[in-house]
Amino acid sequence: MKLIDALDIVRQSKQSTNELFEVSLVCGFTPLHLQSFLHARLQLSLPDHRVQIAVGAFNDIAGTLRDLRGGRADGVALVLEWPDLDPRLGTRQLGGWGPGHLTNISARVETQLAQLQALLEEVSRSSTVVVSLPTLPLPPLFFTGNWQSSHAELQLRALVAAFAAECAATNRIRLLNAQTLDLLSPPAARLSVKSDWQSGFPYQNAHAAALAGFLAQLLVNPLPKKGLITDLDDTLWRGIVGDVGAEAISWDLDRRSQAHGLYQQFLHTLAEEGVLIGVASKNEPAIVEEAFGRDDLLLMREKIFPMEVSWGSKAQAVARILSVWNVAADSVVFVDDNPLELAEVKAQHPGIECLLFSPKDDAGVYDLIVRLRDLFGKSALSDEDALRAESLRARATLIAAATPDNAEGFSETLLEQAEAELTFRWEKDVSDTRALELLNKTNQFNLNGRRLTEAMWRNLLAAENSFLLTVSYKDRYGALGKIGVLAGRVMESEIHVEAWVMSCRAFARRIEHQSLRQLFEQFRVGRVTFDYAQTPRNQPLANFFSSILSRPPEAACAVERTVFEAACPKLYHRVVEVSHVH
Amino acid sequence: MYTDDTRSRLIECFAVVFPELSEEEIPRASVTSVANWDSVASVTLMSVIEEEFGVELDAEGLEQLVSFELMLDHLQDAERTV
């Protein structure tokens, strides 16, 4: 992005009347073009918001962070450079560089970092915090030639690395990945001495643009994809298993098929992180099962669900997998070595991300895996990630056992014998990232489709009359983990629900009925109002309301307790309540 | 034609840095006539011009380029010497 384009985006955004997205940019230098690039990048990522960037005092990072404690900014971006840790590590102040200074510089850097870490900890309790570590080169203050790393320099880098690791361990502070920044902004082309001395802005424009892009990504924290569907022959392994047999397919260095091994290893990693892995392959099921019987596969058979192996259309196989997963195509990636298959799938499922596996292009496969890491990357793993695939398998088992005349899919007997247990947690825990994640990625059982920023979420929970109910589920078929979130406010004589989502993995178990009953019981009210809005995808929630109200819901609909109880089917769950806040 | 192109590109640079100015006001813009033409605006304007025209403006030059007309002259001189 060029500066003129960034300024143009900033100019246009100032005329918008959309909801504010406020970010504090904290840096010791003059923020100048970094501010413009960050504003523009955020604005492009958040077209429904009006971005506003506040900046702190020049050369006073600690003071700025102190002022931000307890604030309600949507995000805080700290951009550190070496002179912020000790002015002698820059070239604008001439405090001396001799060998006698090095120990003192190191000690000062350690003190500064400790202070910053404590402040960041505090700020991150009320705002999303992202941090960029020094990106500019250290000046030539060490006595070694520039081709040699001195002990003093390595000590400084070790201090910064330790600081970064401590910050990242909190989960509330997100660190910019230096390796990725290096790829987009070569280290040798970052510093502008002229600009640093003339205006106090040390970056070349291209570096400021790259840095701002990654900061915006960290602040917006895009949702990861949920599932990956892969082809088998010449993708998961080398060779056509139907032609050469299960023993002749390969994925190792010796048979020049390492790309497939790496791909298998990566898919196994994704599965362990909670990504759904499915297979769509034109093959004989028996020979594929034989191949998966090999004990040297790096992607275990049990990590794959479902396995769609037939001679039918790939697009139809993908449709069946999406149906079993109960996710939209735009949450899924499809990988195949055949461009025609990719085109067919893309034509029938335009939202799906189709990626080519080129088995003869080793570097291309490596790039593909890097790309997949971006698409599936998440800030933190939750307990639910480990349960996702297993619970889908359990759901499929339940559906398979369902009687055909039951509209909801599960028979009364199945529900009765499922030994279902629901845990309701009444706790306004801001650090519960799973609740916000669920709220922002659920489409079908979603009260209004509204997405909340981390700051909006914190503000809602900070309100004195607000409540948060999270719902976890398990039954004899396995645990689903935390699958429901209800949030709203306690009014004088009623409850107003502003957000209600439930994972599609939990459908047809009457969890929504039990949740609503808990709401009535917890607050002892006769009526609950809902901030309902129809969205292109929230028909399942509308169906629930229709079943209770005997008519389609309207915006701001209400449910009377007597009406609910009259319409509520029999519930079989054992209910556990963890804590009370009211 | 070449001059017209330089002029219109320079107007675009001024327009993003001084959005409050109309296209008619920009050719008459100077440090004294534009209230928002402070040091930050000056550095931003120079950076946009450097990027847009692929030129480098030195610090001494900046102090003299205090109006649209002077900048246009400077850029046209630079083009003639290329």
Side-chain angles (χ1 to χ4, degrees):
Chain A
M1 179 185 284
K2 286 165 69 179
L3 182 57
I4 193 167
D5 300 324
L7 290 167
D8 199 34
I9 294 167
V10 171
R11 182 182 60 168
Q12 286 174 35
S13 85
K14 284 181 176 163
Q15 291 156 6
S16 155
T17 54
N18 288 344
E19 190 167 354
L20 263 187
F21 187 86
E22 295 177 89
V23 169
S24 291
L25 174 58
V26 185
C27 56
F29 53 85
T30 313
L32 216 60
H33 312 324
L34 180 64
Q35 183 180 350
S36 305
F37 283 121
L38 180 60
H39 190 143
R41 286 287 181 188
L42 281 169
Q43 194 59 68
L44 289 178
S45 302
L46 299 164
D48 297 333
H49 287 77
R50 177 163 61 89
V51 173
Q52 193 167 290
I53 310 268
V55 294
F58 180 78
N59 210 7
D60 186 16
I61 283 183
T64 306
L65 287 176
R66 232 172 261 126
D67 292 344
L68 291 171
R69 290 175 300 180
R72 294 268 173 254
D74 290 283
V76 172
L78 170 63
V79 180
L80 278 179
E81 287 301 343
W82 291 110
D84 301 319
L85 304 177
D86 187 306
R88 290 169 287 185
L89 296 175
T91 58
R92 279 180 64 87
Q93 289 187 44
L94 306 175
W97 277 356
H101 287 267
L102 295 178
T103 309
N104 181 261
I105 287 174
S106 180
R108 190 183 147 89
V109 167
E110 192 169 8
T111 310
Q112 280 287 98
L113 288 171
Q115 184 191 23
L116 289 179
Q117 195 184 320
L119 286 167
L120 286 173
E121 273 277 322
E122 283 190 70
V123 175
S124 70
R125 286 193 199 117
S126 59
S127 296
T128 300
V129 172
V130 305
V131 177
S132 165
L133 302 174
T135 63
L136 295 176
L138 278 161
L141 76 159
F142 308 103
F143 54 82
T144 48
N146 287 312
W147 57 89
Q148 182 182 347
S149 287
S150 69
H151 179 244
E153 178 194 340
L154 292 170
Q155 247 181 343
L156 291 179
R157 294 193 187 281
L159 287 170
V160 170
F163 159 80
E166 289 290 327
C167 288
T170 68
N171 266 351
R172 295 200 307 268
I173 303 172
R174 299 198 274 266
L175 276 291
L176 192 145
N177 187 315
Q179 182 176 302
T180 305
L181 182 65
D182 288 350
L183 292 173
L184 199 66
S185 174
R190 295 176 177 178
L191 174 67
S192 171
V193 176
K194 178 184 130 181
S195 174
D196 192 17
W197 291 352
Q198 280 181 11
S199 60
F201 178 67
Y203 296 151
Q204 299 279 358
N205 282 359
H207 178 55
L211 184 55
F214 288 123
L215 287 171
Q217 238 173 318
L218 278 173
L219 284 163
V220 172
N221 203 21
L223 287 173
K225 300 279 186 187
K226 295 174 182 172
L228 184 146
I229 301 170
T230 185
D231 176 40
L232 295 177
D233 291 338
D234 281 333
T235 302
L236 195 70
W237 52 61
R238 181 179 179 179
I240 309 293
V241 67
D243 291 344
V244 301
E247 286 309 312
I249 54 174
S250 66
W251 47 85
D252 53 43
L253 284 172
D254 293 345
R255 283 170 285 186
R256 295 183 187 157
S257 50
Q258 181 74 355
H260 305 278
L262 188 67
Y263 179 62
Q264 280 186 28
Q265 178 174 280
F266 187 73
L267 293 200
H268 182 86
T269 307
L270 288 182
E272 300 252 288
E273 293 165 3
V275 173
L276 305 168
I277 306 290
V279 159
S281 169
K282 286 182 176 169
N283 251 314
E284 283 298 332
I287 188 77
V288 167
E289 284 303 327
E290 193 185 333
F292 274 98
R294 278 180 57 170
D295 58 10
D296 54 344
L297 265 168
L298 294 154
L299 175 65
M300 305 302 156
R301 172 68 180 84
E302 63 265 24
K303 297 288 180 195
I304 300 168
F305 182 75
M307 186 90 87
E308 278 287 340
V309 180
S310 72
W311 293 106
S313 136
K314 280 263 173 93
Q316 284 172 20
V318 167
R320 287 192 292 273
I321 294 171
L322 294 178
S323 166
V324 169
W325 285 349
N326 205 5
V327 298
D330 60 9
S331 297
V332 173
V333 177
F334 175 58
V335 181
D336 201 302
D337 67 310
N338 186 333
L340 196 63
E341 305 278 25
L342 289 170
E344 186 212 350
V345 168
K346 186 75 182 170
Q348 285 210 28
H349 307 279
I352 205 166
E353 179 104 27
C354 289
L355 298 176
L356 181 68
F357 188 102
S358 306
K360 290 180 181 157
D361 177 7
D362 292 344
V365 170
Y366 184 81
D367 289 345
L368 168 73
I369 289 171
V370 171
R371 171 90 183 114
L372 289 173
R373 174 41 75 209
D374 279 347
L375 290 168
F376 290 99
K378 53 182 87 171
S379 295
L381 293 178
S382 66
D383 295 341
E384 282 69 24
D385 289 324
L387 296 171
R388 192 164 295 122
E390 210 41 58
S391 65
L392 274 173
R393 217 184 285 262
R395 179 174 177 271
T397 310
L398 268 169
I399 287 171
T403 52
D405 59 335
N406 187 319
E408 284 191 322
F410 301 150
S411 73
E412 207 64 27
T413 317
L414 254 171
L415 290 172
E416 192 176 357
Q417 294 173 352
E419 296 164 23
E421 181 181 296
L422 277 166
T423 303
F424 291 94
R425 186 180 290 270
W426 298 92
E427 213 169 41
K428 294 201 286 182
D429 182 4
V430 179
S431 65
D432 180 1
T433 54
R434 169 65 180 161
L436 180 60
E437 180 196 57
L438 200 57
L439 205 73
N440 279 338
K441 74 176 190 185
T442 305
N443 293 310
Q444 299 176 73
F445 197 96
N446 188 324
L447 188 61
N448 45 40
R450 231 162 270 147
R451 302 305 193 210
L452 299 184
T453 64
E454 285 162 321
M456 289 158 82
W457 182 238
R458 279 194 199 94
N459 288 343
L460 171 64
L461 298 188
E464 215 167 272
N465 65 342
S466 68
F467 70 86
L468 170 64
L469 170 62
T470 57
V471 188
S472 302
Y473 176 91
K474 68 176 179 184
D475 60 24
R476 62 188 297 192
Y477 301 97
L480 300 190
K482 200 173 288 172
I483 40 74
V485 176
L486 271 126
R489 291 171 204 273
V490 184
M491 315 303 274
E492 212 162 276
S493 59
E494 62 186 29
I495 297 299
H496 183 62
V497 177
E498 295 180 20
W500 188 8
V501 297
M502 188 173 72
S503 166
C504 56
R505 293 182 291 125
F507 283 6
R509 290 168 171 86
R510 300 178 185 168
I511 297 171
E512 59 276 38
H513 298 82
Q514 191 66 267
S515 302
L516 190 47
R517 176 172 285 169
Q518 291 304 310
L519 210 57
F520 280 121
E521 287 181 4
Q522 172 72 18
F523 296 106
R524 295 189 182 88
V525 289
R527 174 185 156 98
V528 177
T529 59
F530 294 89
D531 197 2
Y532 169 77
Q534 189 181 4
T535 75
R537 291 195 193 166
N538 70 351
Q539 194 57 41
L541 185 124
N543 291 345
F544 167 69
F545 277 134
S546 299
S547 73
I548 301 294
L549 300 168
S550 306
R551 58 179 158 76
E554 294 157 358
C557 68
V559 176
E560 303 289 337
R561 185 168 188 171
T562 48
V563 173
F564 167 72
E565 290 298 347
C568 183
K570 191 168 183 187
L571 305 180
Y572 301 98
H573 322 103
R574 191 173 89 82
V575 172
V576 179
E577 285 199 42
V578 169
S579 56
H580 298 263
V581 287
H582 292 279
Chain B
M1 186 66 188
Y2 198 46
T3 302
D4 282 351
D5 180 49
T6 305
R7 185 183 173 81
S8 62
R9 284 161 66 201
L10 187 60
I11 286 176
E12 276 179 42
C13 294
F14 269 73
V16 294
V17 179
F18 302 113
E20 70 278 14
L21 296 182
S22 68
E23 206 171 312
E24 293 72 41
E25 289 171 319
I26 287 173
R28 299 193 300 274
S30 72
V31 169
T32 50
S33 70
V34 179
N36 289 337
W37 194 327
D38 58 11
S39 58
V40 172
S42 199
V43 171
T44 305
L45 182 61
M46 293 308 154
S47 200
V48 168
I49 290 170
E50 285 185 338
E51 200 178 65
E52 189 58 24
F53 290 89
V55 296
E56 192 152 340
L57 302 169
D58 58 45
E60 287 76 24
L62 293 187
E63 287 167 16
Q64 291 155 22
L65 302 176
V66 291
S67 71
F68 177 88
E69 277 306 320
L70 287 169
M71 279 186 194
L72 186 59
D73 288 346
H74 180 83
L75 290 170
Q76 286 170 342
D77 286 348
E79 280 167 0
R80 278 186 216 107
T81 55
V82 170

